[in-house]
Amino acid sequence: MRSGLALRLSRAAALALLLILGVGAGCRHRGAAWAVPAQPVTAGVEIIVIGQPRESRATRLVAGELERVLANAAAAGRTPIIAWLGTDLGRPGPDRAHPCPDPHAVHAGPALTELTRVVHSTGAAVWGLPGPDAWRCGMTGFEARVTPTPYEQPGVAYVLRVSEAGQVALVSSCELDTCTIAPPAEDTLLELVALDFSFWHYPALASDDLTAALLSQQAALLEALAAAPAVPRLLLSPIPVESAGAHGVGGRLQRTGYRYLPEFVQQALTDGLFVGVLGALERDLQVSEDLSNAIHRSARTFVSKPIFEVVSGSAGGPKHTPRTSRGDTLLPDLETEHPGFARVIIEGERVHLRIHARRAGRWRVAGIELPLDPEPLPSLREPPTIQPCHSCDPMRGAADGEVDVPRGPRPP
């Protein structure tokens, strides 16, 4: 009898420990906007962001929901632009006969084949970047002529111009360390600036000479954009600027953060060249209204304008990150560790950020609405707390703060 009671108590203690640590897979689904379903947006230009798809059941589920979203968009008379940011090829290890898949068959599995069919089913423009895994396996895009990919990739640095009617065109041309941008068009709504920093964040992926050449080209592209007429611009990259996941500053796999970007990218963000960032890498979904506080925590730097960020890296399935292994600089306004993808809808002077996440066997949608071209931040403003605990008293230290970080509705 005592042994049975002891067994029940030990099981209860183990369950309590799991709940405290948040070890249950996919347990985090936070942010006030999840409580109220996002209202549909029937007009505007739409960008769908998928990141890190892989051969998995989650990729098949994402393909099914994406097919429904694309059908609804077609019924509303619009064709979205699809951004494919990195493919998850799995970590090389002793359990795999070959560290990397055959380059000619990397997207030939059933799940990725289905996803590829869906993204091309409505004639949508599909653009992308390889991300770290493709670099690791020698599929950087330089081999694009002999290795078909589901997306168009002119290089590791290019600019897409989107018209008010949703038409997208490649307007940049880069060769060596020189880049040019086509003259502006009167009906330009925004520009998408695609930059892949995989070789920078993971130095083993490229030689020093190749890294230097690619950085020179990316710097030349941003220099050309800075000299061009100002329009709203979004940065597309497999690597986010800041992250609340394992790759964020202070996280177990710390790699990402404003402080870790090339200096010319830091300067572009500080000067307000981008109004938003669309990234991946993390195996979760995150939406942040403004990165300015996170950038201050990361690098003690004040940016001139608000910058929103969408992290969409769970198209191939999520990966739980315990709170003790997560980044400290960013507290997203929406986040979830579930399979899904993100949508960015520009309607007039507003941008609607949407997350589609599959939770408990059904799809849920949450969203945030922001101005497309926000007002500059004040020159004099109160700095955010730089304590590891976001809610702690900055004068008395972290020990005086709340035990946990609140992630529910914000107080008025």
Side-chain angles (χ1 to χ4, degrees):
M1 187 174 189
R2 289 183 177 178
S3 61
L5 178 60
L7 179 60
R8 288 195 297 271
L9 290 175
S10 63
R11 287 177 177 174
L15 178 60
L17 181 60
L18 289 176
L19 291 175
I20 291 172
L21 294 178
V23 175
C27 68
R28 192 170 72 251
H29 194 77
R30 297 168 177 164
W34 288 108
V36 180
Q39 296 299 315
V41 181
T42 58
V45 173
E46 181 173 346
I47 304 164
I48 296 177
V49 187
I50 56 176
Q52 302 295 90
R54 60 182 298 159
E55 276 304 311
S56 66
R57 178 175 178 270
T59 296
R60 287 179 176 272
L61 295 173
V62 166
E65 174 68 359
L66 188 57
E67 190 167 29
R68 185 190 67 82
V69 169
L70 289 171
N72 290 342
R78 67 175 187 267
T79 302
I81 303 162
I82 298 178
W84 185 308
L85 301 180
T87 304
D88 189 346
L89 305 178
R91 289 182 178 273
D95 57 330
R96 297 176 61 179
H98 302 285
C100 293
D102 179 357
H104 296 275
V106 65
H107 297 101
L112 289 174
T113 297
E114 176 64 10
L115 182 61
T116 300
R117 181 194 67 80
V118 168
V119 299
H120 290 285
S121 60
T122 61
V126 186
W127 302 83
L129 289 167
D133 265 17
W135 272 85
R136 186 176 293 113
C137 295
M139 292 170 280
T140 64
F142 302 117
E143 305 85 0
R145 290 191 179 92
V146 297
T147 308
T149 59
Y151 51 84
E152 296 290 333
Q153 184 202 338
V156 295
Y158 60 92
V159 179
L160 305 173
R161 185 169 293 157
V162 183
S163 71
E164 295 174 352
Q167 300 297 319
V168 58
L170 177 67
V171 296
S172 63
S173 176
C174 293
E175 186 173 352
L176 298 179
D177 59 351
T178 302
C179 290
T180 58
I181 307 295
E186 294 183 1
D187 63 343
T188 299
L189 177 66
L190 77 159
E191 291 177 344
L192 306 177
V193 183
L195 299 174
D196 192 347
F197 307 120
S198 298
F199 59 89
W200 172 258
H201 288 278
Y202 298 85
L205 300 181
S207 66
D208 292 344
D209 291 341
L210 178 58
T211 296
L214 295 177
L215 289 177
S216 296
Q217 187 174 105
Q218 292 181 343
L221 182 67
L222 293 188
E223 184 178 354
L225 285 173
V231 298
R233 295 185 176 97
L234 302 181
L235 173 62
L236 270 65
S237 177
I239 312 293
V241 170
E242 294 285 348
S243 173
H247 293 86
V249 176
R252 180 175 62 88
L253 303 175
Q254 178 172 300
R255 288 278 185 177
T256 68
Y258 174 95
R259 62 192 293 181
Y260 298 123
L261 290 168
E263 289 187 8
F264 59 87
V265 182
Q266 294 182 18
Q267 190 63 49
L269 290 165
T270 302
D271 293 343
L273 187 65
F274 302 110
V275 300
V277 178
L278 308 180
L281 188 65
E282 301 287 12
R283 295 271 292 277
D284 61 11
L285 298 167
Q286 305 174 31
V287 172
S288 302
E289 295 184 15
D290 183 12
L291 293 180
S292 59
N293 283 350
I295 289 174
H296 178 79
R297 295 187 188 104
S298 170
R300 308 297 186 264
T301 298
F302 289 99
V303 298
S304 62
K305 297 180 70 174
I307 306 169
F308 71 79
E309 182 180 69
V310 173
V311 177
S312 178
S314 64
K319 184 175 183 180
H320 177 65
T321 304
R323 73 182 69 179
T324 53
S325 300
R326 306 183 70 223
D328 295 324
T329 61
L330 180 65
L331 185 62
D333 298 282
L334 283 176
E335 59 179 339
T336 180
E337 289 181 334
H338 292 86
F341 57 91
R343 299 162 62 206
V344 180
I345 307 170
I346 296 92
E347 183 184 27
E349 297 180 354
R350 308 293 294 177
V351 55
H352 304 265
L353 307 179
R354 296 283 187 267
I355 281 183
H356 289 241
R358 186 174 177 84
R359 181 190 186 194
R362 66 189 182 95
W363 285 94
R364 298 187 63 188
V365 183
I368 291 176
E369 180 182 345
L370 299 169
L372 177 60
D373 191 9
E375 294 294 327
L377 293 167
S379 299
L380 297 176
R381 56 187 185 269
E382 183 178 354
T385 174
I386 59 175
Q387 302 292 347
C389 172
H390 296 266
S391 60
C392 298
D393 186 327
M395 301 301 295
R396 300 179 62 183
D400 185 62
E402 298 291 335
V403 175
D404 198 5
V405 176
R407 295 181 184 276
R410 293 180 173 183

